[in-house]
Amino acid sequence: MTRLAIIDLGSNSARLIVMHIYHNGAYNLVYHQKEPVRLSEGMSKEGWLQPPAMERAIATLKIFAHMCRLFAADQILAVATAAVRTAENGRDFLTRVQEETGIQFEVISGETEALLGYIGVINTIDIKDGLLFDLGGGSTELTLVRDRKPVQVISLPFGAVFLTERFKTEDRVTEAQLIQLRQFVLQHLDQIPWIRKLNLPLVGVGGTARNIAKMDQKRKNYPFNKLHNYRLGRLSFEDLWKTLLATTLNQRRKLPGLSAERADIIVAGSTIVKCLFDISQGTHLIISGCGVREGLFFQNYLPRQGEAEIIEDILSHSTENMLYFYKGHIDHARHVTHLATCLFDSLQAIHGLDSRMRSLLRVATQLHDIGITISYYDHPRHSAYLVENARVFGLTHREQMMAAVVAGWHNGLTKFVRNRIYGEFFDEADWQAVRKMALFLALAESLDTTQMQLIPDIAVYLSEQKATLHLLGSNPAPIERQSAERHIRWFRKEMGMDMVLE
Amino acid sequence: MTRLAIIDLGSNSARLIVMHIYHNGAYNLVYHQKEPVRLSEGMSKEGWLQPPAMERAIATLKIFAHMCRLFAADQILAVATAAVRTAENGRDFLTRVQEETGIQFEVISGETEALLGYIGVINTIDIKDGLLFDLGGGSTELTLVRDRKPVQVISLPFGAVFLTERFKTEDRVTEAQLIQLRQFVLQHLDQIPWIRKLNLPLVGVGGTARNIAKMDQKRKNYPFNKLHNYRLGRLSFEDLWKTLLATTLNQRRKLPGLSAERADIIVAGSTIVKCLFDISQGTHLIISGCGVREGLFFQNYLPRQGEAEIIEDILSHSTENMLYFYKGHIDHARHVTHLATCLFDSLQAIHGLDSRMRSLLRVATQLHDIGITISYYDHPRHSAYLVENARVFGLTHREQMMAAVVAGWHNGLTKFVRNRIYGEFFDEADWQAVRKMALFLALAESLDTTQMQLIPDIAVYLSEQKATLHLLGSNPAPIERQSAERHIRWFRKEMGMDMVLE
């Protein structure tokens, strides 16, 4: 058991997360605190950290140090970014921080910041190519990702706080201010040849990106309370940006989804995003809730587990993490997954579902019993709740819901799926896919009723009217057989043919 | 860490539960299996266990023994009830069971069975006085409970399977059969003077009682998937009973909520309940999902923890269990509970809520952070889900939902409460109470923002227009103060007066 505290002191806010790593390798976030320190306040003019800002930071870091003790952190990884990096008195300030709080900070370069953000994103969002931006208060890091690798990196010396101070865009912006602001940003972006006309998704990290997502979710009455991997199109973004330009500071303070303490800097921040969209011809915007902090975590955690910094299959990796975290019956979960996958593959010609659905089925199957941790009775419903809300990485929101429904449906249809938000995400084809996958899971689960792995494999023979499932292995397994036979009718309904067990 | 397996071999079914007891004393059900063995089949005529029934039982118990190994049970507590108890070949059968499965059964007397059922009920349902019945396949135990103590006990030598065989009530019953059946039951009940005209609630344990509840829930489209502590009135019960009398076996097999394997014996079973209602003049029926098995568990578990067999305050006990199970931050949870209770008590004159609400507030407050186990982000909503579905004992379903909403609402109103089933359970007064309690929790939580217990106590002074909260202790606690001040408006809205912090 290890507890890792990670502190990120930015220009706008200071953040602390505490990660718990269990003996079996599973990890979990156990604490998160964010304080709007605004360390870079006044820096754009003076070039050094101002005394009131430093006082705020030290008061906050004292609390962070206390929380680290309270949560028994074994190790504290603390990094400082743009504000400290560029301030003339940055080093002196960190010396004082160490004296007064005991926390030893590392000042990271813009490139390191970009790299950490990239690690945080690439290990938690399933994306091959894209333009990553980490938009902070005092700097903006851009990373061009191709085939999941960072092929270009740059750190720009301005962020949402910096630009707000420089162009005085706290309150309602004038036409002239906006032109100046955009010119400034575009001038910098124009000098980066590799961001032009990329035609790729933008992946945004940082408070500005998160607040854009929150506002968009509020406007659309989005029924799922999750930011990470939220996607919005270019039109939605531009509409939102124009709304922000047309409001006063006071109006923005009341805007649903926007943090009041960010109301002043959101115009400058979202204008950077707008410029990135324009220059790179971004297809859409994906929000990442994971960035530098998670990057630091993975950089530290993965090597401990004997793994590389970049996880190859983030969906499998995070699913396994869930399974270990909830102390599921690993052997049973694995065997049911094997059998369900086997059914999926053998019946491919009939169900016609694609390989993405195969991955979803595997997630649902591995996690189908984790709800036992909440209550044994009604545990499929609890499994669905956990899968829906868990930090499973590598699925879109819609896919995560599909996996949840399959996991929760493994004893046949229950009422819970009808009362829920799933209808907001699924079309008829999704429901069909979900029903078929639920059937495969139910069958596979039946074929390991005693959890003894009596049936090592299934061979399926298809004819016109029926699917014959040969239960392999040398064991009689009467309970498994009987249990599976209960699904004959369901099989006929979903697959349009009879199922025979042999 | 200990794992305790409990097996209960009844006349109708065999059941296995596995309880996990953690180092910190928290316990949880990790496995449950029920098999419809119908061991007493043919016994009413022959007086001994029939070979096919014994074969079924042994095959099932072999699986149970396997599951006990699979779940690494440290100890198996196995009891056999009516069928084995009354069969002439009961002892021989158990010798064979031990040889073939390794499980050593204890045959318990009717009185012990009643006592265990009583322990299971009284530790999980908040009831002072009532007539408990444990209606099995081959016997029915009655316990009169006064002031939570068992003052009278009797075991009757008939149950749902026995009566079904004797009066052949499997299929549609004739008028004549019904009269004979009732006469038989009433004759026995008439000889028990202490059950007459009790005017108390009936508390039912066993499959018949559970199935009555399930059917009633289906008829009423009850929105909560929970049996334990479900209540139904006399009229509802009689209506249901009459429906059962008017149906054939095949019709009953399709009746929503009724297990198909119980469709034959439900007429006899529910007729016993009907007779109990009539003779005792029962006020209503409460279903207990806990009985002999849970009684055995508590009898074994509680002394290990240095506690008496009968828990004094089951609500506090199970709430503590939850808190330890989810490894909550105990000190913070306790301190917030203390502060919230303090607010509740000091503001009694204004909010006008009763002591029951005070208990609910304490549950919600202690468990307000357990949702962190699911995901730190959005954890109040997850806490609500866990409180709603957790095995918290001593609350009605409505009360459990109220505690859930308060726990989930601790950062102010969120959308989740509107989308849920709560509206089915709460009237306007309940919502008001919930809102006020949520405010107290939010305030108390704010007053321990840093989790440092900087504010040991609050003294509240009330005047006409305002409530002055004196934050006691020698610490400045600026963060707590600032955080609490965010609730001034909410306070004014709910309490109709200003809140001043001093």
Side-chain angles (χ1 to χ4, degrees):
Chain A
M1 188 186 109
T2 312
R3 281 202 159 171
L4 203 57
I6 293 167
I7 298 173
D8 166 16
L9 180 60
S11 305
N12 189 49
S13 55
R15 283 175 184 263
L16 161 69
I17 61 173
V18 182
M19 304 295 291
H20 189 113
I21 304 168
Y22 292 83
H23 288 300
N24 64 10
Y27 62 88
N28 192 36
L29 176 72
V30 292
Y31 188 69
H32 172 217
Q33 190 174 353
K34 177 201 158 201
E35 297 298 336
V37 167
R38 196 145 308 174
L39 182 59
S40 71
E41 192 173 60
M43 262 187 66
S44 69
K45 213 162 62 193
E46 307 287 345
W48 57 67
L49 302 170
Q50 303 297 298
M54 291 192 286
E55 291 312 316
R56 285 198 301 270
I58 285 177
T60 294
L61 293 173
K62 278 183 182 164
I63 295 166
F64 283 9
H66 159 72
M67 297 316 284
C68 289
R69 282 191 298 276
L70 198 70
F71 279 89
D74 302 291
Q75 197 182 346
I76 301 178
L77 302 174
V79 294
T81 55
V84 179
R85 183 161 70 219
T86 55
E88 288 179 28
N89 56 345
R91 298 277 158 186
D92 296 343
F93 168 66
L94 290 188
T95 309
R96 223 192 110 196
V97 165
Q98 184 166 8
E99 280 165 14
E100 298 199 25
T101 70
I103 304 171
Q104 193 169 359
F105 272 89
E106 186 188 346
V107 183
I108 56 173
S109 69
E111 286 65 34
T112 304
E113 194 177 350
L115 180 72
L116 289 170
Y118 154 78
I119 297 175
V121 167
I122 211 71
N123 282 329
T124 60
I125 291 186
D126 184 20
I127 191 165
K128 261 181 76 179
D129 306 291
L131 179 60
L132 268 55
F133 67 86
D134 183 347
L135 207 171
S139 71
T140 301
E141 282 68 40
L142 300 179
T143 309
L144 177 61
V145 175
R146 293 279 187 193
D147 204 18
R148 299 190 76 223
K149 290 182 193 70
V151 292
Q152 297 282 357
V153 172
I154 194 168
S155 175
L156 303 169
F158 56 83
V161 177
F162 178 92
L163 290 184
T164 303
E165 290 195 353
R166 171 128 180 194
F167 296 100
K168 304 201 171 34
T169 54
E170 294 88 355
D171 211 326
R172 171 92 193 242
V173 283
T174 64
E175 191 68 24
Q177 281 176 318
L178 181 64
I179 289 170
Q180 285 185 318
L181 169 64
R182 289 188 71 180
Q183 265 181 351
F184 179 89
V185 177
L186 288 172
Q187 257 171 23
H188 277 84
L189 297 183
D190 266 338
Q191 289 161 32
I192 316 169
W194 50 266
I195 66 167
R196 263 177 243 145
K197 296 190 187 176
L198 287 169
N199 253 298
L200 290 179
L202 291 171
V203 185
V205 171
T208 295
R210 274 197 306 273
N211 273 263
I212 287 170
K214 278 189 200 164
M215 284 186 284
D216 193 60
Q217 291 189 340
K218 288 287 176 189
R219 284 153 71 103
K220 293 173 178 166
N221 210 4
Y222 193 70
F224 192 32
N225 198 353
K226 186 170 188 171
L227 278 186
H228 186 68
N229 210 3
Y230 179 69
R231 288 152 193 241
L232 66 159
R234 194 171 170 151
L235 291 179
S236 292
F237 169 73
E238 295 205 340
D239 195 48
L240 186 64
W241 178 67
K242 282 176 190 151
T243 307
L244 292 172
L245 293 181
T247 46
T248 63
L249 178 59
N250 263 330
Q251 287 169 329
R252 288 201 297 272
R253 282 209 178 102
K254 290 166 202 149
L255 217 54
L258 181 60
S259 319
E261 79 237 21
R262 196 173 281 277
D264 54 346
I265 60 174
I266 191 71
V267 168
S270 60
T271 299
I272 302 177
V273 180
K274 164 71 177 150
C275 294
L276 284 170
F277 252 123
D278 290 344
I279 284 206
S280 77
Q281 296 190 355
T283 54
H284 58 287
L285 174 59
I286 303 173
I287 275 65
S288 173
C290 299
V292 168
R293 289 178 300 284
E294 288 74 13
L296 268 167
F297 169 72
F298 284 119
Q299 206 179 43
N300 191 286
Y301 163 78
L302 290 170
R304 282 177 195 225
Q305 306 298 116
E307 296 176 56
E309 254 172 44
I310 306 302
I311 298 163
E312 209 165 302
D313 182 344
I314 63 174
L315 181 55
S316 298
H317 193 275
S318 60
T319 305
E320 288 265 311
N321 180 51
M322 277 294 126
L323 185 57
Y324 281 97
F325 178 70
Y326 287 114
K327 302 188 195 82
H329 241 247
I330 313 284
D331 292 344
H332 175 63
R334 290 238 168 89
H335 192 60
V336 174
T337 305
H338 165 68
L339 294 177
T341 313
C342 182
L343 285 167
F344 185 97
D345 294 344
S346 319
L347 295 165
Q348 180 78 53
I350 313 171
H351 62 67
L353 300 174
D354 64 14
S355 63
R356 191 69 193 158
M357 292 298 120
R358 188 178 189 272
S359 303
L360 288 197
L361 174 62
R362 290 180 63 87
V363 172
T365 312
Q366 282 184 276
L367 304 182
H368 77 280
D369 268 346
I370 59 173
I372 290 173
T373 190
I374 295 183
S375 168
Y376 191 88
Y377 301 106
D378 215 9
H379 72 259
R381 182 167 63 91
H382 303 317
S383 297
Y385 185 88
L386 291 178
V387 174
E388 180 184 326
N389 290 289
R391 297 191 97 197
V392 172
F393 298 125
L395 296 177
T396 65
H397 293 188
R398 175 181 137 275
E399 288 173 339
Q400 188 161 356
M401 303 240 178
M402 291 179 81
V405 175
V406 174
W409 206 337
H410 73 257
N411 288 336
L413 174 58
T414 51
K415 212 171 57 177
F416 88 94
V417 294
R418 279 184 276 142
N419 297 336
R420 299 298 311 281
I421 52 173
Y422 306 126
E424 303 282 326
F425 284 88
F426 299 172
D427 58 22
E428 196 34 55
D430 292 335
W431 278 115
Q432 270 181 31
V434 158
R435 280 199 300 266
K436 286 175 185 167
M437 291 191 283
L439 169 66
F440 300 149
L441 168 53
L443 264 173
E445 158 99 321
S446 289
L447 293 175
D448 194 32
T449 306
T450 60
Q451 308 196 9
M452 291 168 88
Q453 286 98 61
L454 292 179
I455 299 166
D457 262 305
I458 324 167
V460 180
Y461 299 96
L462 287 174
S463 73
E464 284 279 304
Q465 298 90 16
K466 67 177 183 188
T468 309
L469 274 57
H470 281 269
L471 310 183
L472 305 181
S474 50
N475 304 297
I479 294 170
E480 275 74 6
R481 196 191 184 92
Q482 201 185 346
S483 172
E485 274 167 356
R486 286 186 296 120
H487 300 307
I488 286 179
R489 259 179 62 189
W490 188 9
F491 191 95
R492 194 180 301 127
K493 195 174 151 214
E494 298 301 338
M495 312 299 289
M497 58 168 60
D498 284 327
M499 173 181 80
V500 180
L501 297 171
E502 274 189 4
Chain B
M1 187 187 110
T2 312
R3 281 200 160 174
L4 204 57
I6 293 167
I7 299 173
D8 166 14
L9 181 60
S11 306
N12 189 48
S13 56
R15 282 175 184 265
L16 160 69
I17 61 174
V18 182
M19 304 293 292
H20 189 113
I21 304 169
Y22 292 84
H23 287 302
N24 65 10
Y27 62 89
N28 192 37
L29 177 73
V30 291
Y31 188 69
H32 173 219
Q33 190 173 354
K34 177 201 158 201
E35 297 297 335
V37 167
R38 195 141 314 170
L39 182 59
S40 72
E41 192 173 60
M43 261 188 68
S44 69
K45 214 163 61 195
E46 307 288 346
W48 56 66
L49 301 171
Q50 302 297 300
M54 289 193 285
E55 291 312 316
R56 285 197 302 270
I58 285 177
T60 294
L61 293 173
K62 277 183 183 164
I63 295 167
F64 282 11
H66 159 73
M67 296 316 280
C68 289
R69 281 191 299 274
L70 197 69
F71 279 90
D74 301 290
Q75 197 182 345
I76 301 178
L77 302 174
V79 294
T81 54
V84 178
R85 182 162 72 222
T86 54
E88 289 180 25
N89 56 345
R91 298 278 159 186
D92 296 344
F93 169 66
L94 290 189
T95 309
R96 220 190 114 199
V97 165
Q98 187 169 5
E99 281 165 14
E100 298 199 25
T101 71
I103 303 171
Q104 193 169 357
F105 272 89
E106 184 187 348
V107 183
I108 55 173
S109 70
E111 285 67 33
T112 304
E113 195 178 349
L115 180 72
L116 288 170
Y118 154 79
I119 296 175
V121 167
I122 211 69
N123 282 330
T124 61
I125 291 185
D126 184 19
I127 191 163
K128 262 182 75 177
D129 306 290
L131 178 61
L132 268 54
F133 66 87
D134 184 347
L135 207 173
S139 72
T140 302
E141 283 67 41
L142 300 179
T143 309
L144 177 61
V145 174
R146 293 278 189 194
D147 205 17
R148 301 190 75 222
K149 290 182 192 68
V151 294
Q152 298 281 358
V153 173
I154 194 169
S155 175
L156 302 169
F158 56 82
V161 177
F162 177 93
L163 290 184
T164 302
E165 289 194 354
R166 171 127 182 196
F167 296 100
K168 305 201 170 32
T169 54
E170 294 89 356
D171 211 327
R172 173 92 194 240
V173 284
T174 65
E175 190 68 26
Q177 280 175 319
L178 181 63
I179 290 171
Q180 284 185 318
L181 170 63
R182 290 188 71 179
Q183 266 182 351
F184 178 90
V185 177
L186 288 172
Q187 258 171 22
H188 276 86
L189 297 183
D190 266 338
Q191 289 161 33
I192 316 168
W194 51 265
I195 67 166
R196 264 177 241 146
K197 296 190 187 175
L198 287 170
N199 253 298
L200 289 179
L202 291 170
V203 185
V205 172
T208 296
R210 274 197 304 273
N211 273 264
I212 287 170
K214 278 188 200 164
M215 285 185 283
D216 193 59
Q217 291 189 340
K218 288 285 177 192
R219 285 153 69 103
K220 292 173 177 165
N221 209 5
Y222 193 70
F224 193 31
N225 198 355
K226 185 168 189 171
L227 279 184
H228 186 69
N229 210 3
Y230 180 70
R231 288 151 194 241
L232 63 160
R234 195 170 170 152
L235 290 178
S236 292
F237 169 74
E238 296 205 337
D239 195 48
L240 187 64
W241 178 66
K242 281 176 191 152
T243 306
L244 292 172
L245 293 180
T247 45
T248 64
L249 178 59
N250 262 331
Q251 287 169 329
R252 288 201 296 273
R253 281 207 180 105
K254 290 164 202 149
L255 217 55
L258 180 61
S259 319
E261 78 239 19
R262 195 173 282 276
D264 55 344
I265 60 174
I266 191 70
V267 168
S270 61
T271 299
I272 302 178
V273 181
K274 165 70 176 150
C275 295
L276 284 169
F277 251 123
D278 289 346
I279 284 206
S280 76
Q281 296 189 355
T283 52
H284 58 288
L285 174 60
I286 303 172
I287 275 64
S288 174
C290 298
V292 168
R293 289 178 299 284
E294 287 75 12
L296 267 168
F297 169 71
F298 283 120
Q299 208 180 41
N300 191 286
Y301 164 78
L302 290 170
R304 283 177 195 224
Q305 308 296 117
E307 295 176 55
E309 256 172 42
I310 306 301
I311 298 163
E312 210 164 299
D313 182 344
I314 62 174
L315 181 56
S316 297
H317 194 276
S318 59
T319 305
E320 289 264 312
N321 181 51
M322 277 295 126
L323 185 57
Y324 280 98
F325 178 70
Y326 287 113
K327 303 191 193 79
H329 240 247
I330 313 284
D331 291 343
H332 174 62
R334 291 237 167 91
H335 192 60
V336 173
T337 305
H338 166 69
L339 293 177
T341 314
C342 181
L343 284 168
F344 185 96
D345 294 344
S346 318
L347 295 165
Q348 181 78 53
I350 312 172
H351 63 67
L353 300 173
D354 64 14
S355 64
R356 191 70 193 157
M357 292 298 120
R358 189 178 188 270
S359 303
L360 288 196
L361 174 61
R362 290 180 64 87
V363 172
T365 312
Q366 282 184 278
L367 304 182
H368 77 280
D369 268 347
I370 59 174
I372 290 173
T373 190
I374 295 183
S375 168
Y376 191 88
Y377 301 106
D378 216 10
H379 72 260
R381 182 167 63 92
H382 304 316
S383 297
Y385 185 87
L386 292 177
V387 173
E388 181 185 325
N389 290 289
R391 297 190 97 198
V392 172
F393 298 126
L395 296 177
T396 65
H397 293 187
R398 176 180 138 275
E399 288 173 338
Q400 190 161 355
M401 303 239 179
M402 290 179 82
V405 175
V406 174
W409 205 338
H410 74 257
N411 288 336
L413 174 59
T414 52
K415 212 170 56 177
F416 88 94
V417 294
R418 280 183 274 141
N419 296 336
R420 299 299 309 282
I421 52 174
Y422 306 125
E424 303 282 326
F425 283 87
F426 299 172
D427 58 20
E428 197 34 53
D430 292 335
W431 279 115
Q432 269 181 29
V434 158
R435 280 200 299 268
K436 286 175 185 166
M437 291 191 284
L439 169 66
F440 300 150
L441 168 53
L443 263 174
E445 158 100 319
S446 289
L447 293 175
D448 194 31
T449 306
T450 60
Q451 308 197 10
M452 291 168 88
Q453 287 97 60
L454 291 179
I455 300 165
D457 262 304
I458 323 166
V460 180
Y461 298 95
L462 288 173
S463 73
E464 284 280 303
Q465 298 91 16
K466 68 177 182 188
T468 308
L469 275 55
H470 282 269
L471 310 183
L472 305 181
S474 51
N475 304 297
I479 295 169
E480 277 73 6
R481 196 191 184 91
Q482 201 184 348
S483 172
E485 275 167 356
R486 286 187 295 120
H487 301 307
I488 286 180
R489 261 178 63 189
W490 187 9
F491 191 94
R492 194 180 302 126
K493 194 174 152 214
E494 299 302 338
M495 311 300 288
M497 58 169 61
D498 284 327
M499 173 180 81
V500 180
L501 297 171
E502 275 188 3

